[in-house]
Amino acid sequence: MPAHAEQILISTGRDDWSSKIEDEPEGEVVREIKKLLGRGGKMSDSYHNVMITNSSFAPTPSASGSGSSAFLFPSFKYIPDVPTSPSGVETFLRAHVLPSKLHTAHSVLPPDLQRNLLRQPELQSQFPAVRPVDEILVLICGHGSRDSRCGTLGPLLRDEFTDQLSAQSIPIMPSPPPASAPDTIVSPSARVGLISHIGGHKFAGNVIIYIPPTMTGHALAGKGIWYGRVGPENVEGIVRETIVGGKVIQNLFRGGIGKGGEVMRL
């Protein structure tokens, strides 16, 4: 699993994307995030790596028609109204994505540069519709334009996870969360979607499972589990053992991340 502190999951409503997701015609948010957080960007921080991923989840309709929507993990937040302007994207990153405290290595930096890398919680008031993520998310790499294996396996795994979760009486949430108020969540419920490249084509099918912190008593609550080399024949066991039972399947495990960003290894 690539080391990262946060995953930004952009809702696009599409099942596949350009090989580089920043090349999408509507990829303004991704391009601006990579400009700010990438190498040489003014928010670049090698101790707080951020993964930017597209998803097949539909965005929440915006009153202005100009916003985007994103999930944040392992923060377990949903932001229905991410602005697409450069200044708006920068505000979003400062409010929700930058670290709340800096690595000790940054102590040698001038105070103004330290402030530039630090979260500004007071800006969160500009995003009043943010809500916690209370449902299970199953994310499957289906980025066929990057690798045909993912493009072939992704839709098959999505269908199988949907069937197996339903068999466990876990309802699938088909619609995006609304912008005006939290939607009614049946606990536990789930969202199953395809995502863009997360690294490791050789591990196809690649699956990330996020178990929300609200599933109290679940051994993996608040954590994200990465599995590789997942086939349709593995899905029933993953749903039963990991999603329902809270157990990690060792021979599929690529890594994991805790709610505080700590890396999980077996």
Side-chain angles (χ1 to χ4, degrees):
M1 182 193 76
H4 63 286
E6 197 80 74
Q7 181 177 18
I8 303 175
L9 194 69
I10 306 293
S11 300
T12 71
R14 296 171 51 193
D15 285 1
D16 200 10
W17 309 271
S18 301
S19 180
K20 294 183 178 180
I21 59 175
E22 61 266 34
D23 292 340
E24 289 289 320
E26 64 277 18
E28 303 99 329
V29 172
V30 174
R31 287 193 292 271
E32 194 60 31
I33 291 174
K34 290 195 171 188
K35 175 183 173 183
L36 292 167
L37 297 181
R39 184 176 298 177
K42 66 180 181 180
M43 297 179 179
S44 178
D45 183 352
S46 58
Y47 296 99
H48 189 80
N49 187 41
V50 176
M51 179 178 297
I52 307 110
T53 314
N54 276 355
S55 80
S56 63
F57 299 124
T60 297
S62 168
S64 65
S66 60
S68 184
S69 301
F71 292 86
L72 295 181
F73 296 104
S75 292
F76 286 88
K77 293 180 182 179
Y78 179 70
I79 297 90
D81 52 357
V82 179
T84 57
S85 66
S87 61
V89 172
E90 182 170 336
T91 300
F92 159 66
L93 295 176
R94 292 190 184 280
H96 293 289
V97 178
L98 295 185
S100 56
K101 63 178 181 178
L102 296 180
H103 192 276
T104 54
H106 292 312
S107 61
V108 299
L109 295 175
D112 57 331
L113 292 183
Q114 291 188 40
R115 285 192 296 271
N116 209 38
L117 300 177
L118 199 60
R119 184 177 303 179
Q120 296 176 307
E122 65 274 15
L123 297 177
Q124 293 177 7
S125 61
Q126 298 186 32
F127 301 86
V130 173
R131 74 157 181 85
V133 176
D134 294 323
E135 59 268 43
I136 300 157
L137 259 75
V138 179
L139 310 175
I140 305 151
C141 184
H143 202 166
S145 63
R146 286 290 296 265
D147 191 277
S148 61
R149 291 167 291 187
C150 296
T152 300
L153 270 172
L156 295 175
L157 292 173
R158 176 174 58 181
D159 292 346
E160 189 65 21
F161 270 105
T162 299
D163 290 345
Q164 294 298 333
L165 286 163
S166 298
Q168 292 285 341
S169 300
I170 299 175
I172 306 299
M173 307 291 287
S175 303
S180 57
D183 51 343
T184 300
I185 299 294
V186 179
S187 183
S189 59
R191 298 184 189 275
V192 182
L194 301 181
I195 59 173
S196 59
H197 179 58
I198 53 172
H201 292 311
K202 64 183 179 181
F203 296 115
N206 286 297
V207 176
I208 307 173
I209 300 168
Y210 285 109
I211 306 294
T214 50
M215 287 183 64
T216 55
H218 194 290
L220 299 176
K223 296 178 171 58
I225 303 299
W226 286 50
Y227 283 148
R229 298 195 174 95
V230 176
E233 70 278 4
N234 302 123
V235 172
E236 181 180 4
I238 291 172
V239 171
R240 183 182 65 248
E241 296 297 323
T242 300
I243 294 178
V244 176
K247 300 175 183 177
V248 174
I249 301 172
Q250 185 171 358
N251 65 327
L252 300 176
F253 187 64
R254 285 188 60 187
I257 187 167
K259 196 173 188 304
E262 64 274 11
V263 175
M264 299 169 56
R265 302 292 184 196
L266 293 182

